[in-house]
Amino acid sequence: MSEVGLNISLLDQLGLGVLKIRDDPELTILSASAGFYDMLGYCEGEIRRLREPGEKPVLREANPEDWEALLRRAGDQGHVVVQLKLIRKDGHHIWASFRATRCSEGGERFFLGVVDNITLARRFQRIQREQKEELEALTANIPGGVLRFRADENLTLNFVSNGFCRISGYTQQEIVQVFQSRFLEMVFPADRPGLLEQIRNAKTWDDRVVAFMFRVLCKDGSVLWMLNKARCMVDENGTVWIYSVLIDVTSIKEAQDELKASEERFRLILENATYPVVDCNFSTGEFYFSGPFRKKFRDTNLHLKANELLPFLKKTDFVFEEDRPALLDYCKRVMSGQKPDDEDFRFRSSDGTYIWCTLKCTLFCNSAGQPARLIVMFTDIDHKKKEALDLRRKAEHDLLTGLYNRFTAIAMVNAAIAHSTENERHALFVVDIDNFKKINDSLGHLSGDKVITELARRIRALFRESDIVGRVGGDEFIIFMEHTDPAAAVKKAQALNETIASVQSATSHISGSVGIAFFPADGKSYDELFRKADTAMYCAKRKGKNSFCIYCKGMKISDISYNSLKQEREAE
């Protein structure tokens, strides 16, 4: 085998092809190696021309080559390199690089050269180009900049995006000329030591994205806060590179600083306020208790989270037990966005006693309408509240017995009836003490008052806390029992007679007459029920006193009998 044949065989084994084509319009193939035919999937002799008139040519040129220009270049340089799009036999195309020399033999001109399949290389270049374009588009549109710099003492820049130039006001040329590509010199002086310390520890980032903040000097003299999200990479030469995405967070940082200053001012106001204040921050989940609060109340170290507030109010003894349901309801209304009036509750003070305080709650919501902060102010009204309650108690209660007075008892009975349905059953008792006038006449009114006081105490003890017990006359009482029935009312009437009879005076035996009427059968108002219960009570007196009588339909007392009974009662 000749040396030329050996070289061609070697090129074929390397996946290359040798091509000799005439420089005519059809690019007639004068000769080609097996490697060239294998590259296109043809057998030797199946291709005569690269350009085949009237048929699908092997050479497909999106931008046809100017072969005359190639001839001139080949004449000037002695060789040319051209990229050709060739169609394989199976219809797929490949890109080939044709490195050729212009030759002539026997007066015939032709190109002789090596064909290399560069399809993968072109594809890789295209992907790289697209990725570069995508990266440039991305870095140009993010609200910040992208940098690549070495992890040296100057943070020497290798890449600066247009976004960073737009933010800083410097062009890429100015960064090179003014700072000699030393990024550290663009950093605010006070932040340089901290930034260098971060970069020195870059190898410990373990391929993580690390975020930190620092300030950058701009061309117009302004200073911008940058959030730097950086990653460390080491190249094949061992050089440490930092890839950084810088985002301008100046407005956010200024807002944070202003918020911090505002929080501090708010704290100072709370600390210097004379009234106790609780600040519940739902954003952070923290509670703050002002100095006056810690001084006035015992529970100063409440380790609570914001979402634990309502469950805490259900069980804490910091709030008076009877007030917890009302306080819980009040807080729920506030948290739902309502603005209820200030309300009064009892809280345990530092000495262990419960004091009355007025609560004023202010709720702040975030942009989504969710609770963000709750400010609660406590006003100590214990002295005034107790005075008001005492005055109210005196106004509502009989001064001698402590029972409800006539006006209060009537109002409470009517209120209870107004909130009742036709299916509910209540009973009204009218109690009159028999022969009480004899006690006053024989022992004096002071002794009579003592007997009335003792009778009132025993009657009150006989009934439930929810029952309304009142003194409506000198020796006359009413009791309104809610949710009862005739059988239970009879037992209470018997107990009343026994209880009254158990009280002894110095001169005579005491007894009582009891009349009973039922809601709604006997009446749907206090006046109706009292009239019928009073009628039943007089019937009990006619039966011999010291007894009870239940009103029944048609029960009447003649005018003569009624008047005589009234006279007898007044004579007593």
Side-chain angles (χ1 to χ4, degrees):
M1 181 182 292
S2 67
E3 183 176 350
V4 173
L6 181 62
N7 288 336
I8 293 174
S9 176
L10 178 61
L11 290 173
D12 288 340
Q13 292 177 20
L14 293 174
L16 304 174
V18 177
L19 180 64
K20 180 179 179 182
I21 57 173
R22 187 180 293 136
D23 65 347
D24 58 19
E26 289 79 23
L27 301 178
T28 304
I29 297 176
L30 298 176
S31 65
S33 69
F36 175 76
Y37 288 112
D38 290 342
M39 194 179 298
L40 297 178
Y42 288 99
C43 295
E44 186 174 353
E46 287 186 324
I47 305 175
R48 291 179 300 168
R49 301 177 180 88
L50 294 184
R51 289 174 175 166
E52 198 68 55
E55 300 178 15
K56 291 184 178 180
V58 173
L59 175 62
R60 296 275 183 86
E61 295 175 299
N63 296 306
E65 290 284 357
D66 184 348
W67 289 90
E68 292 296 328
L70 287 175
L71 287 172
R72 288 193 297 272
R73 282 166 49 195
D76 296 337
Q77 302 173 7
H79 66 278
V80 291
V81 179
V82 61
Q83 292 186 0
L84 307 176
K85 183 180 181 181
L86 303 177
I87 307 304
R88 287 173 47 86
K89 187 175 182 180
D90 59 11
H92 294 90
H93 77 271
I94 65 169
W95 280 96
S97 172
F98 184 37
R99 300 179 182 87
T101 299
R102 181 172 177 270
C103 304
S104 62
E105 187 177 87
E108 185 178 39
R109 295 182 304 177
F110 58 88
F111 289 99
L112 177 64
V114 177
V115 179
D116 182 14
N117 187 347
I118 60 171
T119 304
L120 292 179
R122 277 183 62 100
R123 186 176 301 165
F124 179 72
Q125 290 173 354
R126 176 176 58 79
I127 293 173
Q128 280 190 317
R129 183 177 66 255
E130 290 174 352
Q131 289 177 339
K132 181 180 178 182
E133 291 172 353
E134 289 175 359
L135 179 61
E136 289 176 350
L138 178 64
T139 57
N141 289 286
I142 63 172
V146 178
L147 303 178
R148 181 176 184 257
F149 54 85
R150 282 197 295 269
D152 55 24
E153 290 302 313
N154 295 310
L155 309 184
T156 306
L157 290 163
N158 175 264
F159 172 81
V160 178
S161 73
N162 291 331
F164 180 78
C165 294
R166 183 174 61 251
I167 291 173
S168 65
Y170 290 102
T171 65
Q172 294 180 349
Q173 293 77 12
E174 287 174 330
I175 292 175
V176 174
Q177 295 170 359
V178 176
F179 302 102
Q180 290 76 49
S181 296
R182 297 170 180 171
F183 178 57
L184 187 66
E185 294 186 11
M186 299 186 70
V187 176
F188 190 70
D191 296 343
R192 292 173 188 174
L195 177 58
L196 282 175
E197 185 64 26
Q198 289 278 4
I199 300 305
R200 291 190 189 103
N201 296 325
K203 288 187 177 181
T204 65
W205 294 354
D206 298 328
D207 202 33
R208 292 179 293 110
V209 174
V210 178
F212 46 90
M213 294 176 65
F214 55 86
R215 285 164 288 184
V216 169
L217 302 171
C218 298
K219 186 176 181 180
D220 62 3
S222 62
V223 177
L224 297 180
W225 275 99
M226 294 289 179
L227 173 62
N228 181 32
K229 292 193 172 184
R231 171 171 278 173
C232 170
M233 298 188 72
V234 181
D235 64 16
E236 65 276 7
N237 298 318
T239 303
V240 180
W241 294 95
I242 305 299
Y243 292 79
S244 290
V245 176
L246 300 179
I247 301 174
D248 181 3
V249 293
T250 305
S251 59
I252 298 175
K253 187 67 169 62
E254 289 175 348
Q256 289 176 339
D257 291 343
E258 177 59 30
L259 178 61
K260 185 177 180 181
S262 177
E263 288 280 350
E264 186 59 28
R265 290 193 297 270
F266 181 69
R267 290 281 182 256
L268 289 173
I269 291 171
L270 293 186
E271 286 295 339
N272 289 280
T274 57
Y275 43 77
V277 179
V278 174
D279 175 14
C280 179
N281 192 325
F282 294 98
S283 301
T284 63
E286 297 176 347
F287 273 86
Y288 168 78
F289 303 96
S290 70
F293 180 93
R294 294 192 298 269
K295 183 178 180 180
K296 182 174 285 291
F297 299 107
R298 196 182 76 185
D299 290 334
T300 57
N301 297 314
L302 300 175
H303 300 292
L304 293 175
K305 293 298 181 182
N307 58 0
E308 298 172 349
L309 176 60
L310 296 182
F312 168 77
L313 293 178
K314 289 181 180 179
K315 60 183 180 180
T316 177
D317 60 356
F318 173 62
V319 183
F320 192 65
E321 184 175 5
E322 294 179 6
D323 295 348
R324 288 178 209 163
L327 177 59
L328 185 64
D329 177 69
Y330 175 75
C331 289
K332 287 180 178 178
R333 283 183 284 134
V334 171
M335 295 293 289
S336 67
Q338 299 181 40
K339 295 182 179 179
D341 294 334
D342 302 345
E343 294 190 17
D344 304 335
F345 305 97
R346 283 163 287 187
F347 301 92
R348 191 180 59 213
S349 64
S350 55
D351 63 6
T353 61
Y354 284 93
I355 61 173
W356 282 98
C357 292
T358 295
L359 289 194
K360 182 177 182 62
C361 296
T362 303
L363 180 70
F364 299 92
C365 295
N366 57 25
S367 57
Q370 299 298 318
R373 200 163 202 161
L374 179 67
I375 307 298
V376 184
M377 291 181 285
F378 295 71
T379 303
D380 185 347
I381 59 164
D382 192 58
H383 182 68
K384 292 182 179 179
K385 184 75 173 182
K386 287 177 178 176
E387 282 186 346
L389 290 174
D390 187 53
L391 289 173
R392 179 179 175 181
R393 186 188 63 78
K394 289 178 179 179
E396 293 179 346
H397 291 75
D398 176 55
L399 295 179
L400 178 63
T401 63
L403 301 179
Y404 291 117
N405 60 32
R406 180 174 181 273
F407 297 104
T408 303
I410 292 173
M412 293 179 70
V413 171
N414 280 325
I417 290 174
H419 290 88
S420 299
T421 65
E422 293 286 334
N423 297 325
E424 294 180 273
R425 296 292 180 268
H426 312 312
L428 180 69
F429 296 75
V430 174
V431 181
D432 185 79
I433 307 304
D434 301 325
N435 306 314
F436 187 72
K437 188 173 183 298
K438 294 179 181 179
I439 297 175
N440 282 334
D441 292 343
S442 59
L443 300 177
H445 287 280
L446 288 179
S447 296
D449 288 348
K450 290 182 180 179
V451 172
I452 287 295
T453 302
E454 180 60 20
L455 282 168
R457 186 187 66 79
R458 297 194 184 193
I459 292 173
R460 174 68 268 183
L462 192 61
F463 289 89
R464 299 169 299 188
E465 186 67 28
S466 59
D467 295 332
I468 301 169
V469 182
R471 183 188 180 202
V472 295
D475 58 347
E476 190 173 15
F477 303 87
I478 65 163
I479 301 101
F480 186 73
M481 283 187 67
E482 293 187 80
H483 310 296
T484 188
D485 55 41
V490 167
K491 289 183 179 180
K492 283 294 182 184
Q494 291 171 340
L496 268 171
N497 286 135
E498 293 172 1
T499 297
I500 295 171
S502 67
V503 178
Q504 298 291 327
S505 74
T507 60
S508 63
H509 177 75
I510 297 175
S511 65
S513 298
V514 181
I516 310 170
F518 291 95
F519 169 90
D522 300 328
K524 297 181 181 179
S525 68
Y526 172 83
D527 290 340
E528 287 183 288
L529 291 174
F530 179 83
R531 188 166 57 251
K532 293 178 180 179
D534 195 52
T535 298
M537 184 271 293
Y538 277 109
C539 287
K541 283 187 175 291
R542 289 189 63 186
K543 291 194 303 181
K545 304 179 183 179
N546 193 27
S547 63
F548 67 90
C549 186
I550 297 175
Y551 177 83
C552 60
K553 192 172 182 180
M555 178 181 284
K556 293 181 180 179
I557 301 177
S558 66
D559 291 339
I560 297 175
S561 300
Y562 186 77
N563 289 332
S564 63
L565 282 170
K566 284 191 69 176
Q567 290 171 5
E568 288 178 17
R569 182 181 175 194
E570 291 170 358
E572 292 175 354

